[in-house]
Amino acid sequence: MTAPWTYIKDLPSREGKEVVIRGWLYNMRSSGKIHFLQLRDGTGTVQGVMVKKEVSEENFAEAKGLWLEASVEVAGTVRKDDRAPSGVELTVSSVSVIQNPSEEYPIGKKDHGIDFLLDHRHLWLRSPRQQAILKIREAVIWSAREFLRNDGYMLVDSPIISGAAGEGASGLFELDYFDSKAYLAQTGQLYAEAAAAAFGKVYTLGPTFRAEKSKTRRHLTEFWMLEPEVAFFDHEANMDLQERLICHIVAYALEHCRRELEFLERDISKLEAVKAPFPHLQYDEAIEMLKKLGSDTPYGSDLGNDDETILTKEFDRPVFIENYPKKIKAFYMKEHPENPDLVLCDDLLAPEGYGEIIGGSQREDSYDRLLARIREEKLPEEAYDWYLDLRKYGTFVHSGFGMGIERVVAWIAGLQHIREAIPWPRTIYRVKP
Ligand code: NSS
């Protein structure tokens, strides 16, 4: 009888047992009498020790001819080994080759340029660094959803093909939609607002698209956004939710992704400092502070990328910037009750130079003022008739925000560039693979 197929992560509990593992050869060393096979199966890695005199001659020779990334089924006995990271290794009794590549694996040990690696993203995903990052991404999404669900939020999916711009007319991907035009969603927000009137506490989660020509380490043309929207939450309650959500995500990553964070050499003490309460700056205070830090961004302009970098290096935890001038923000934001030139909104900026991870606001709930804003911005009124209906039939104070998944992952994982925070990055010059 053949030994049972076992995942590498489960090997420590199978000491002394015979097992079969299925996976790939990611490295090999050989002394002539012993092959050291480095094996991985997606759940972990283990060293297989194949001793010439303990296996058949043909099988030993066959193993020697394996190229990196050969797919294999390896039978052996699990042995305790204190030097191994997982505490075990595998004494190999046989290697059965599923497929041996006929040429050398393109990603070697030498340093490859970023374009080469991105061209080979389909293979690059197999590297330990990319696996660590994508596990952190999965943990970010999972922990956010867990937090929201436990707090009574319902996931309501929003469409990707839409007839109206969610964030203003610039940066829209337009597509031919039979006899008319449609757009790829820039945000699920407007739909989340409608859902909030049905379910109270909701969120959307999905890919969003921006035809932005920004070639920065913070911008993708396709990125994932988590967007809570809450009935009867004002601006203050909205920021409180953001703070609690971010604290939960960071705490979850510290608890469940410690190995990945250590592998990435993330300074964990910096993440441990992320505790409520987060500091708050009003927009004008942020501009003043930036001036002192050497920025020449004038009052009335949005913060630039460099502004976000220098400002957030001053903080050890995320910082809220509140109440921006109306003229640089989206049409749906509620006017500030004490200053009609401002809107009730916030951006949450991650520390250590990372910058904006969340943009949120209280929404304009007056039909007349919202219509006036749509006209002011010269947006096509007929595309927003359904959105205006929300203010016609039982309008309500409500607020929400969008958290950029890749921005949060890049910050938590300590990445230089957002492109590694998504399996298949889409940027101005890249739609393949
Ligand atoms: O444009 S946002 O600031 N806000 C919205 O889209 C609102 N409609 C969200 C809402 O209130 N429901 O984008 C929100 C976040 C922003 O803070 C970033 O974290 C992320 O989305 N974001 C991006 N990530 C990657 N690449 C690009 N281009 C990008 N744009 C925004």
Side-chain angles (χ1 to χ4, degrees):
M1 205 174 77
T2 52
W5 174 27
T6 307
Y7 284 108
I8 291 175
K9 74 173 170 53
D10 298 325
L11 294 182
S13 65
R14 309 240 120 199
E15 229 183 276
K17 299 264 179 0
E18 284 183 25
V19 297
V20 165
I21 61 172
R22 293 178 178 151
W24 296 264
L25 181 74
Y26 75 90
N27 216 340
M28 175 149 95
R29 239 168 3 99
S30 195
S31 75
K33 289 189 178 128
I34 307 182
H35 301 320
F36 296 97
L37 310 168
Q38 311 301 327
L39 303 162
R40 59 170 191 86
D41 72 352
T43 72
T45 60
V46 70
Q47 171 165 273
V49 181
M50 190 177 198
V51 180
K52 190 171 184 181
K53 61 180 195 301
E54 290 173 5
V55 298
S56 81
E57 213 165 295
E58 305 79 67
N59 202 210
F60 192 79
E62 190 183 17
K64 191 171 170 51
L66 288 176
W67 291 87
L68 295 193
E69 291 302 319
S71 43
V72 289
E73 195 174 285
V74 179
T77 308
V78 184
R79 303 260 187 241
K80 190 169 152 68
D81 178 28
D82 291 333
R83 290 159 307 174
S86 66
V88 292
E89 63 176 25
L90 195 68
T91 302
V92 175
S93 53
S94 71
V95 173
S96 122
V97 180
I98 300 168
Q99 192 246 341
N100 190 20
S102 53
E103 51 189 284
E104 195 175 348
Y105 189 60
I107 302 183
K109 277 197 222 97
K110 60 176 176 287
D111 270 345
H112 296 290
I114 185 66
D115 283 326
F116 178 88
L117 290 169
L118 287 168
D119 285 342
H120 292 83
R121 184 64 172 164
H122 50 297
L123 303 178
W124 191 25
L125 287 183
R126 303 180 188 190
S127 81
R129 177 182 162 83
Q130 299 310 311
Q131 288 185 28
I133 295 168
L134 293 180
K135 282 188 179 163
I136 291 170
R137 178 189 171 97
E138 195 275 342
V140 165
I141 293 173
W142 177 261
S143 60
R145 296 194 56 178
E146 174 191 58
F147 171 87
L148 290 170
R149 193 168 207 271
N150 288 341
D151 206 14
Y153 288 80
M154 182 163 139
L155 174 69
V156 184
D157 301 314
S158 56
I160 285 174
I161 299 175
S162 176
E167 284 294 317
S170 71
L172 271 178
F173 279 113
E174 191 180 281
L175 45 125
D176 290 330
Y177 195 73
F178 305 106
D179 295 330
S180 63
K181 295 282 179 209
Y183 309 98
L184 294 182
Q186 297 168 302
T187 170
Q189 178 196 322
L190 309 195
Y191 298 95
E193 288 183 56
F199 301 101
K201 296 163 81 170
V202 301
Y203 70 101
T204 68
L205 171 64
T208 48
F209 306 85
R210 305 269 164 107
E212 286 172 314
K213 291 237 165 88
S214 328
K215 213 177 154 230
T216 78
R217 64 192 172 91
R218 299 191 173 100
H219 289 88
L220 295 165
T221 53
E222 176 177 313
F223 62 98
W224 281 61
M225 193 155 44
L226 177 93
E227 298 184 82
E229 191 70 35
V230 202
F232 307 111
F233 261 28
D234 63 6
H235 171 57
E236 296 296 330
N238 192 29
M239 290 188 293
D240 176 64
L241 176 62
Q242 293 163 42
E243 188 177 85
R244 286 186 291 121
L245 174 65
I246 293 297
C247 287
H248 177 82
I249 292 171
V250 171
Y252 186 96
L254 283 169
E255 191 183 338
H256 297 276
C257 303
R258 195 159 279 261
R259 233 178 342 138
E260 286 76 16
L261 292 168
E262 281 166 2
F263 181 84
L264 296 168
E265 294 177 1
R266 179 67 167 109
D267 182 345
I268 287 176
S269 68
K270 295 254 164 51
L271 295 176
E272 284 167 345
V274 177
K275 297 250 161 68
F278 297 167
H280 290 248
L281 292 175
Q282 296 297 306
Y283 166 82
D284 58 344
E285 293 171 329
I287 292 291
E288 272 311 305
M289 189 167 167
L290 278 166
K291 203 167 281 166
K292 292 199 184 105
L293 292 168
S295 161
D296 54 10
T297 298
Y299 184 95
S301 294
D302 211 348
L303 307 195
N305 280 300
D306 294 343
D307 292 332
E308 291 186 20
T309 305
I310 57 173
L311 188 73
T312 61
K313 284 195 168 147
E314 301 293 304
F315 294 92
D316 72 342
R317 61 195 78 190
V319 52
F320 287 105
I321 302 183
E322 292 181 52
N323 305 332
Y324 284 66
K326 186 197 281 175
K327 69 178 198 324
I328 53 170
K329 285 293 182 184
F331 71 96
Y332 52 71
M333 294 188 183
K334 188 170 178 65
E335 196 176 285
H336 194 291
E338 282 144 33
N339 184 344
D341 294 332
L342 304 181
V343 280
L344 287 174
C345 70
D346 73 276
D347 283 354
L348 184 63
L349 275 49
E352 302 173 69
Y354 278 96
E356 185 183 335
I357 51 175
I358 282 180
S361 62
Q362 187 171 329
R363 319 306 191 187
E364 184 52 76
D365 48 64
S366 144
Y367 180 91
D368 292 335
R369 274 202 298 268
L370 183 61
L371 181 60
R373 287 289 291 133
I374 287 172
R375 288 180 177 163
E376 253 170 58
E377 298 280 324
K378 300 196 168 50
L379 293 167
E381 238 170 277
E382 63 292 349
Y384 296 95
D385 51 5
W386 67 271
Y387 184 62
L388 282 157
D389 269 357
L390 306 176
R391 280 73 181 165
K392 246 196 220 166
Y393 304 107
T395 195
F396 55 121
V397 166
H398 62 292
S399 303
F401 61 91
M403 180 184 91
I405 298 291
E406 293 76 17
R407 298 267 183 103
V408 171
V409 172
W411 164 48
I412 291 181
L415 310 182
Q416 295 293 325
H417 199 295
I418 194 173
R419 64 193 159 211
E420 283 181 280
I422 186 165
W424 312 104
R426 296 288 177 251
T427 53
I428 312 178
Y429 302 113
R430 185 170 293 282
V431 289
K432 189 189 162 201

